Amino acid sequence: MSTHTSGQVYVLIPSHNRRDILCATLAKVRAQLSPEAARLIVVDAGSTDGTRDAAQARCPSVEIVDGHADMWWTATVNHGLKHIAKTARAGDRVLLMNDDIDLAPEALIRLLEASDQEPDAVIGAVNIVHRSGEEARVYFCGGHYDLRFARHKANIPEGTPWRAPASRFLETDYLYGRLLVIPWRAFEAGCGFDEEAFPQYCADEDFAYGAKRRGFQVLVDSRSVVYVNEATTARFSLSFGRGGWRGVRKALTAFNSCYNWRQSWAFSRRYAQWPVVYMLCRYGIIFINENVRTPASR
């Protein structure tokens, strides 16, 4: 178990109606970080399944911050950050993580070690999919934007069998919010999660890229690994063969869809060299990949 002492570490977990999943995650966090090593904060976004009582019973040291049911991911995170801001100071760090991930052994310890080595960097963990009986494969390992024609380049393409690279740190333009460590100085410098433009998806990518534009390093730590819970990950598709017109329309408009056109347009307007061109290219590439290159039965 880690006894990390360099500044205060806040573990921030947004949650809504995932009592059992959350309690299992809290146990995994405390197996790696003691109460002396990190304050554990859960923002309960109006759960009705007994999350508060169950979490406190499972992990007495947890701090529960009450939110409300109409909070999406970004608002819930910001609610927790306001709570942290009451006591945070320079040198502190926030470990932001989802409530439904499975932590690899020492994932949190490794990420804090990485932060010790790069104290002014925003650093994320590698996201892995490991289905029963199959080889572990990359879901996310960082990459770089093409803000002209949306031909983004992943450090390691999604679906590649996972092999830890020789280099510990991989430079990236964006991070996913499943697990990342943020120096408090980044918030003091004006970095933040935009709940108006990105209420559910893309807020983590926008935060990371915004931090990079403000001069912070943005890195993936290849020694810190989390496993994606596919059962709780929202699934949408722009494949007409899978969902028909209704499925495609839902993917483009659903608040919790990574294909939501409004959130994509907000990102394009903020960062793309030619926003309209970027949007046409982005969705054109996705439509081709999902309707031409990828079989509908996949």
Side-chain angles (χ1 to χ4, degrees):
M1 180 181 291
S2 171
T3 56
H4 189 85
T5 58
S6 179
Q8 179 66 59
V9 175
Y10 299 88
V11 179
L12 177 59
I13 306 177
S15 189
H16 174 71
N17 280 344
R18 285 179 174 168
R19 180 191 61 199
D20 295 340
I21 292 174
L22 172 65
C23 286
T25 299
L26 293 178
K28 294 169 186 173
V29 171
R30 277 294 176 237
Q32 297 189 27
L33 298 175
S34 70
E36 293 75 28
R39 285 175 58 182
L40 181 51
I41 299 167
V42 169
V43 183
D44 178 20
S47 296
T48 57
D49 63 349
T51 286
R52 165 181 272 278
D53 293 340
Q56 290 181 323
R58 182 64 178 268
C59 185
S61 63
V62 69
E63 302 172 39
I64 305 293
V65 179
D66 292 320
H68 45 85
D70 61 352
M71 284 179 165
W72 289 84
W73 185 85
T74 315
T76 307
V77 169
N78 283 338
H79 196 55
L81 290 172
K82 289 176 183 177
H83 175 77
I84 291 172
K86 297 174 184 178
T87 55
R89 54 184 174 78
D92 292 351
R93 289 168 289 180
V94 177
L95 269 173
L96 175 62
M97 58 184 290
N98 284 358
D99 61 1
D100 61 343
I101 59 172
D102 190 7
L103 296 167
E106 299 192 335
L108 302 180
I109 297 170
R110 295 286 173 258
L111 198 56
L112 288 176
E113 288 177 352
S115 184
D116 284 340
Q117 295 181 36
E118 300 290 348
D120 290 326
V122 180
I123 308 174
V126 178
N127 293 195
I128 297 295
V129 171
H130 196 183
R131 297 166 183 159
S132 179
E134 297 184 13
E135 189 174 14
R137 295 184 179 275
V138 173
Y139 185 88
F140 165 80
C141 198
H144 298 276
Y145 289 130
D146 170 7
L147 293 172
R148 293 182 300 171
F149 305 116
R151 294 175 297 188
H152 308 317
K153 183 174 179 59
N155 288 331
I156 302 176
E158 181 179 351
T160 301
W162 170 240
R163 302 287 185 274
S167 175
R168 175 163 193 166
F169 294 111
L170 303 176
E171 293 187 1
T172 182
D173 288 337
Y174 56 96
L175 293 170
Y176 288 177
R178 287 185 178 84
L179 177 61
L180 61 154
V181 61
I182 306 168
W184 189 254
R185 194 172 75 82
F187 297 108
E188 294 177 330
C191 302
F193 293 92
D194 187 343
E195 62 189 80
E196 297 298 325
F198 310 109
Q200 182 67 14
Y201 276 95
C202 203
D204 44 8
E205 295 189 36
D206 171 70
F207 177 90
Y209 194 58
K212 188 167 187 174
R213 284 163 60 99
R214 285 180 171 87
F216 290 88
Q217 276 191 294
V218 180
L219 305 169
V220 172
D221 176 22
S222 65
R223 304 300 182 260
S224 179
V225 172
V226 296
Y227 297 100
V228 176
N229 187 335
E230 292 187 288
T232 57
T233 300
R235 289 190 170 278
F236 294 91
S237 174
L238 295 183
S239 169
F240 292 101
R242 295 179 193 172
W245 284 98
R246 288 186 179 181
V248 170
R249 181 181 177 182
K250 185 176 182 181
L252 291 170
T253 58
F255 216 49
N256 60 332
S257 170
C258 61
Y259 299 120
N260 181 283
W261 75 269
R262 291 182 185 274
Q263 295 177 54
S264 294
W265 177 238
F267 183 89
S268 301
R269 290 185 63 187
R270 184 167 295 181
Y271 298 119
Q273 186 170 352
W274 308 298
V276 173
V277 173
Y278 177 88
M279 285 284 284
L280 291 172
C281 290
R282 167 176 157 75
Y283 283 101
I285 290 169
I286 295 171
F287 271 106
I288 290 171
N289 285 339
E290 295 207 11
N291 291 280
V292 179
R293 296 178 180 175
T294 304
S297 61
R298 179 181 171 184

